[in-house]
Amino acid sequence: MRFPKDFFFGAASAAYQVEGAWNEDGKGISNWDVFSKIPGKTFEGTNGDVAIDHYHRYKEDVKLMAEMGLDSYRFSISWARIIPDGDGEINEKGIEFYNNLIDECLKYGIVPFATLYHWDMPQALEEKGGWTNKKTINAFVKYAKTCFEAFGDRVKHWITFNETIVFCSSGYLTGTHPPGISNDIKKYFTATHNVFTAHAKTVMEYKKLRQYGEIGITHVFSPAFSVDEEEENKFAAYHANQYEIAWYYDPILKGSYPEYVVKQLEEKGWLPDWNEEELKVIKEAADQNGFIGLNYYQPQRVMKNKDLSRSVTRTRENCTGAPGNVSFDGVYRTVKMEDKVYTKWGWEIAPEAFLDGLRNLRDNYGDIKIYITENGLGDADPIIENEVMDVPRIKFIEAHLKAIKNAIREGINLKGYYAWSVIDLLSWLNGYKKQYGFIYVDHKNKLQRKKKLSFYWYKRVIEERGENI
Ligand code: BGP
C-alpha cells in the first residue's frame, strides 16, 4: 500500500528554535528571550539568540527541504516579530520575512503549514500576566487576524496553538518554562481555558474571512495506559486521560469540558473564572474546527501514586509523560517498565501504543481529521567518518509510519505526518545536544548544514509514497 496522494509527508520546526535574529528588523523581545537568559533555566545556558540562523538562511534550508522532496513544511510564526509588543503596531519587516519564507516554499511546491503560537509570547504581554490575563485572548485574535490577512492568500493550513498542556503546565506547575511559576494550579487551569477561548475566537475570525483554508490546533498526544490489570491502576490511567486528554481535546472537538474534571476542579477551588460568552464561543468553534494535530512522542505508563510524600518532580528531561513523574494532584505516577524500550533521554519508544491511542481517540471523538504534527527521535547522533549515521532515527520514524499506515487501513482519517524536526535545532531546555533533524548543523563550523543518512532515507520514502514501509 502506498500512502494516499493527498497525504502530506512533511517535517516541522518552530520559530524560537530555528530563527535566531532575536533583536533584528524590529522584532520585539519574547518571553523566551528573557527566560532563557535566567541562569540555570536551560541546558548550559543555551538560548535562541542565533539558534541555527534560519532567519538568514531560510533559502538554503528550504532548498534542502525541496531536495528531500517534502510535501509540506510546518513552521511557526513569531508573534513578537509581527507585533513587537503583542498588541500594538505591526512590524512590516516581520511580515516581509514570513512572506519570503512562504514564497520560497511555494517556489518548490512545498505546502506551508503555519503555527501561530509555538510558545514565544511578546514579553510585554507576559509581564501583564500572559495567558492568565484575559486581555491576552483578544491580543492573540488580533495577531492571528493580521497573519490571516497578510499570508492567508497562500497559507491554507493553520494551527492556532502548539501543545497547550506543555506551555501551561511548564509555565504554572513546574516553573520550567516562562513565566516560571510553580504549583499554581488555579493559574494553570485558568491559562488553559484562556488559550481554548483564544483558539475558539480565532477559528471564528478565520471563518469570517472566507479564505477557504483549514484551521485547527496541535495537542500533545501522550495517552495513558495502566501498568497492569489492577483496578486502582486502571483507574489511575482513566484519571490521567481525563486530565491530560479529555480536558484538552473535549473543548476543541466537543465544545465543552469533561464533567469528571470540572466537578473535581469545582470541589477543589481550581475552576477557571469563565463566563457564558467564553463557553459559548468554545461550543460554536468546535463545529468549525478543521482538524486536530497530534504531537506523539511516547505514551504514559501509569499507576496509582501511593507515596504521598513525593512532590511534583517534572524536570527538563521528562516533561511530556516520561517515566518518573507524579501528577500535579498526586493521584497517579508514571513509571518506567522493564519490558519497554527507551531513548537516551528516557522517553519510551512505543509505536504500538501510538496505534492503540489513535483507536481510542477515534472511539471517543469519532471520525476527526488528524495530522501528526510532530513525531521523532531525540538522540545524540553518531558521526562516523564524517557522516551522520542516524540509523536509530530511521528505525524510529519507520516504525511510527507503519503504525500510521495501519491506522489509515483501519479507516482512521490521517492526512499527514510531520517529523520533528526538519533540521537540528535548539531544544527548549536541552540545548543542541539532543538532535531530531534530517539535516545536521555544525556548531563548530559556522552552522554549516549537512545531510544525514535519514535525509536520503526520508527522500526515498516520499518518492515511493511509503510503499515499502
Ligand atoms: C515538543 C515541542 C517541540 C520540541 C519537541 C522535542 O513538545 O513542541 O518544540 O521541542 O517537543 O522536545 P525536546 O527538545 O525537549 O526533546
Side-chain angles (χ1 to χ4, degrees):
M1 176 192 142
R2 290 182 155 225
F3 281 72
K5 278 206 182 72
D6 61 350
F7 182 92
F8 286 144
F9 281 106
S13 78
Y16 185 72
Q17 298 178 274
V18 293
E19 285 179 5
W22 73 292
N23 59 356
E24 282 179 49
D25 292 341
K27 175 180 164 291
I29 305 295
S30 81
N31 55 353
W32 272 93
D33 291 326
V34 175
F35 186 78
S36 61
K37 285 163 196 153
I38 302 171
K41 291 292 185 192
T42 66
F43 175 74
E44 293 178 345
T46 40
N47 64 52
D49 285 5
V50 179
I52 58 155
D53 201 25
H54 185 62
Y55 188 77
H56 296 112
R57 299 178 197 222
Y58 69 93
K59 283 192 178 170
E60 182 188 348
D61 292 341
V62 174
K63 194 167 177 225
L64 283 163
M65 294 177 210
E67 195 187 324
M68 194 164 30
L70 286 195
D71 295 326
S72 177
Y73 173 38
R74 175 183 175 227
F75 59 90
S76 83
I77 297 173
S78 156
W79 187 347
R81 227 181 256 297
I82 302 290
I83 303 179
D85 67 359
D87 202 14
E89 296 293 303
I90 294 169
N91 174 33
E92 289 304 329
K93 281 276 184 190
I95 302 272
E96 189 184 316
F97 169 69
Y98 294 106
N99 268 332
N100 291 341
L101 176 65
I102 291 161
D103 290 344
E104 200 64 20
C105 288
L106 292 173
K107 183 170 124 189
Y108 297 104
I110 297 172
V111 174
F113 212 120
T115 306
L116 289 163
Y117 189 85
H118 201 128
W119 306 353
D120 48 342
M121 166 185 279
Q123 175 67 8
L125 294 183
E126 188 72 279
E127 282 168 12
K128 291 179 203 141
W131 284 113
T132 60
N133 183 345
K134 291 205 188 277
K135 286 192 180 144
T136 303
I137 300 171
N138 289 340
F140 180 81
V141 178
K142 174 177 152 186
Y143 152 65
K145 202 170 166 217
T146 306
C147 292
F148 299 150
E149 281 164 353
F151 315 124
D153 56 334
R154 288 151 294 147
V155 175
K156 297 295 172 190
H157 306 274
W158 295 94
I159 293 166
T160 51
F161 290 92
N162 179 73
E163 297 189 347
T164 306
I165 194 171
V166 172
F167 67 85
C168 290
S169 67
S170 307
Y172 297 102
L173 291 179
T174 63
T176 49
H177 282 200
I181 294 171
S182 300
N183 297 321
D184 197 325
I185 298 172
K186 172 95 181 180
K187 277 197 176 141
Y188 162 66
F189 282 105
T190 298
T192 60
H193 169 68
N194 289 343
V195 170
F196 301 144
T197 306
H199 163 82
K201 286 190 170 184
T202 303
V203 167
M204 299 314 278
E205 206 57 48
Y206 182 68
K207 290 288 158 176
K208 258 196 245 158
L209 293 173
R210 301 175 82 78
Q211 294 190 334
Y212 302 103
E214 57 175 1
I215 185 160
I217 197 167
T218 276
H219 280 343
V220 165
F221 187 52
S222 190
F225 297 94
S226 171
V227 289
D228 57 24
E229 289 301 311
E230 292 291 325
E231 280 311 315
E232 59 182 21
N233 294 334
K234 283 188 354 202
F235 175 73
Y238 170 79
H239 184 87
N241 284 326
Q242 284 292 311
Y243 275 81
E244 301 210 346
I245 302 268
W247 179 260
Y248 288 87
Y249 289 64
D250 281 18
I252 308 297
L253 300 172
K254 296 183 174 169
S256 59
Y257 288 98
E259 268 172 41
Y260 175 84
V261 182
V262 171
K263 198 162 165 273
Q264 295 189 353
L265 298 191
E266 248 169 352
E267 282 163 15
K268 293 176 173 163
W270 295 335
L271 206 62
D273 305 314
W274 53 37
N275 62 43
E276 284 309 312
E277 185 223 332
E278 291 159 3
L279 295 175
K280 191 166 154 245
V281 72
I282 288 175
K283 180 122 224 113
E284 280 167 6
D287 292 333
Q288 304 296 324
N289 182 72
F291 62 87
I292 187 97
L294 308 182
N295 289 356
Y296 177 79
Y297 289 90
Q298 61 181 330
Q300 311 191 42
R301 307 293 173 184
V302 309
M303 62 192 298
K304 181 182 160 80
N305 175 43
K306 292 181 178 158
D307 180 0
L308 293 177
S309 62
R310 280 181 61 144
S311 59
V312 181
T313 50
R314 290 195 176 191
T315 62
R316 69 169 68 120
E317 282 77 21
N318 55 18
C319 25
T320 46
N325 292 309
V326 176
S327 63
F328 76 91
D329 57 2
V331 172
Y332 66 93
R333 62 194 174 95
T334 58
V335 290
K336 193 164 179 171
M337 294 177 75
E338 285 287 312
D339 61 338
K340 309 287 182 221
V341 184
Y342 295 88
T343 72
K344 284 187 191 121
W345 272 264
W347 293 16
E348 189 187 332
I349 302 178
E352 330 72 44
F354 184 25
L355 185 54
D356 284 343
L358 288 169
R359 289 174 181 142
N360 294 342
L361 203 66
R362 182 193 40 200
D363 293 347
N364 290 334
Y365 298 99
D367 185 31
I368 41 168
K369 181 174 183 180
I370 301 170
Y371 291 100
I372 304 307
T373 40
E374 282 181 34
N375 171 248
L377 175 69
D379 206 356
D381 294 333
I383 301 185
I384 302 166
E385 291 179 1
N386 247 335
E387 294 299 327
V388 187
M389 305 299 279
D390 56 341
V391 177
R393 176 161 304 108
I394 293 174
K395 296 283 166 224
F396 183 100
I397 295 179
E398 186 174 39
H400 288 80
L401 280 174
K402 223 176 238 173
I404 292 175
K405 204 182 223 186
N406 286 330
I408 293 174
R409 275 200 188 107
E410 292 178 19
I412 294 174
N413 192 10
L414 258 157
K415 291 295 186 193
Y417 175 83
Y418 291 78
W420 183 268
S421 50
V422 64
I423 186 167
D424 283 350
L425 40 69
L426 173 69
S427 167
W428 300 91
L429 303 176
N430 290 288
Y432 295 101
K433 227 177 159 177
K434 193 179 187 187
Q435 299 159 277
Y436 280 95
F438 295 115
I439 301 161
Y440 171 78
V441 176
D442 190 347
H443 287 265
K444 292 200 187 89
N445 192 7
K446 299 186 187 136
L447 302 178
Q448 215 179 64
R449 276 58 171 156
K450 189 176 165 68
K451 297 165 207 164
K452 301 185 190 178
L453 197 63
S454 60
F455 179 102
Y456 299 100
W457 173 81
Y458 199 43
K459 179 179 163 68
R460 216 186 52 236
V461 169
I462 300 171
E463 273 164 13
E464 299 170 350
R465 303 293 308 159
E467 191 163 14
N468 293 308
I469 292 282

